[in-house]
Structure formats: structure tokens, C-alpha cells
Amino acid sequence: MTIGLAIAARSAAILIAASLTVGSAAAQAGSGTGTSANDAPAATDAPRNVPSLELSQAQREAIYQSISNRQSKKDTAPDGFRAAVGAHVPDAIVLEPLPKIVAELVPKLADYQYAFVANQVLIVDPTSRTVVEVIH
């Protein structure tokens, strides 16, 4: 139980630090890392109007750390699925609500869910099962 609390406290500290850097990172959002909806090629059957979350690198790292610490099993991607912004997530991949601390510190993620596939965090629109962000 003590180890779990230590991990939760560490994750919270990382997320708080990430949320404090949002202002300075917003100015750099245009430079991107090639993973926004505008930069990544969409799958042919994927919707084209995928919202750009414009997460800072610090936010991305904090989200990955928080979710990867919770995962005991690193799921492999189903055959034929490639994790990319705009891709449709097959039903074989289970979507889960984002950890409460993530949703609180990055409020724009509150309506999204995630899947941890092949050591990548997929932020997914649960209504369309469309990947809106890939964090690795």
C-alpha cells in the first residue's frame, strides 16, 4: 500500500509540474512532434476531423508516466492495427477512463478514454473509438 501511495504521489507531482508548464508550451505548440492530428497521416477509413489536443511535451510525459505505472501487462496491438492519430480502435482493445488525476490536471482530457497498447498510450474519443493522441 505504501508503494502505491508513493507512485500516486510521484505521478501527481509530475502532472502538477506539467500543468504549470502549459502556458510556456502553448507558444511552442505549433512546432509539434509530428503526432498531432494535422501532422500524422490518417488511415484511409479514419475520420478527417480529429481534434488536436495540443498537449505539451511535459503533459505527454506525465500522462505516459501515470498510465504506464498502472499497467501490469503491456498489451500487443491486434493484427492489422496501427496506432496513429485518426485510426479507428478495434473492439478487441479495451478502453478505460483516464486516471482521475490526469483528468483533473488536464481538464480537456476529461471526456476521453485511453488504451495502453504496445507500450503506447492511446488517447481515444470513446464515442467514435478514434485515436486523437498517441503518446510513447
Side-chain angles (χ1 to χ4, degrees):
M1 183 79 164
T2 304
I3 293 173
L5 291 174
I7 291 172
R10 180 174 173 227
S11 295
I14 291 170
L15 288 170
I16 290 169
S19 67
L20 294 175
T21 63
V22 170
S24 63
Q28 299 174 355
S31 63
T33 60
T35 58
S36 73
N38 296 332
D39 296 339
T44 56
D45 65 343
R48 296 209 178 252
N49 296 329
V50 177
S52 176
L53 297 180
E54 297 181 1
L55 298 173
S56 70
Q57 187 61 34
Q59 287 173 315
R60 294 168 58 80
E61 289 171 7
I63 291 165
Y64 183 86
Q65 187 71 27
S66 176
I67 291 173
S68 66
N69 281 342
R70 294 170 162 255
Q71 301 301 121
S72 58
K73 178 183 172 192
K74 310 299 186 215
D75 293 327
T76 58
D79 289 340
F81 176 72
R82 184 176 71 90
V85 172
H88 178 75
V89 178
D91 292 336
I93 296 176
V94 177
L95 299 180
E96 298 182 42
L98 285 161
K100 186 177 179 182
I101 189 76
V102 171
E104 288 175 352
L105 293 172
V106 188
K108 63 185 163 187
L109 297 180
D111 294 333
Y112 294 96
Q113 293 184 339
Y114 80 93
F116 194 73
V117 178
N119 291 322
Q120 300 176 98
V121 175
L122 309 180
I123 306 295
V124 179
D125 177 343
T127 58
S128 65
R129 295 187 66 89
T130 302
V131 176
V132 296
E133 192 76 40
V134 178
I135 302 172
H136 44 101

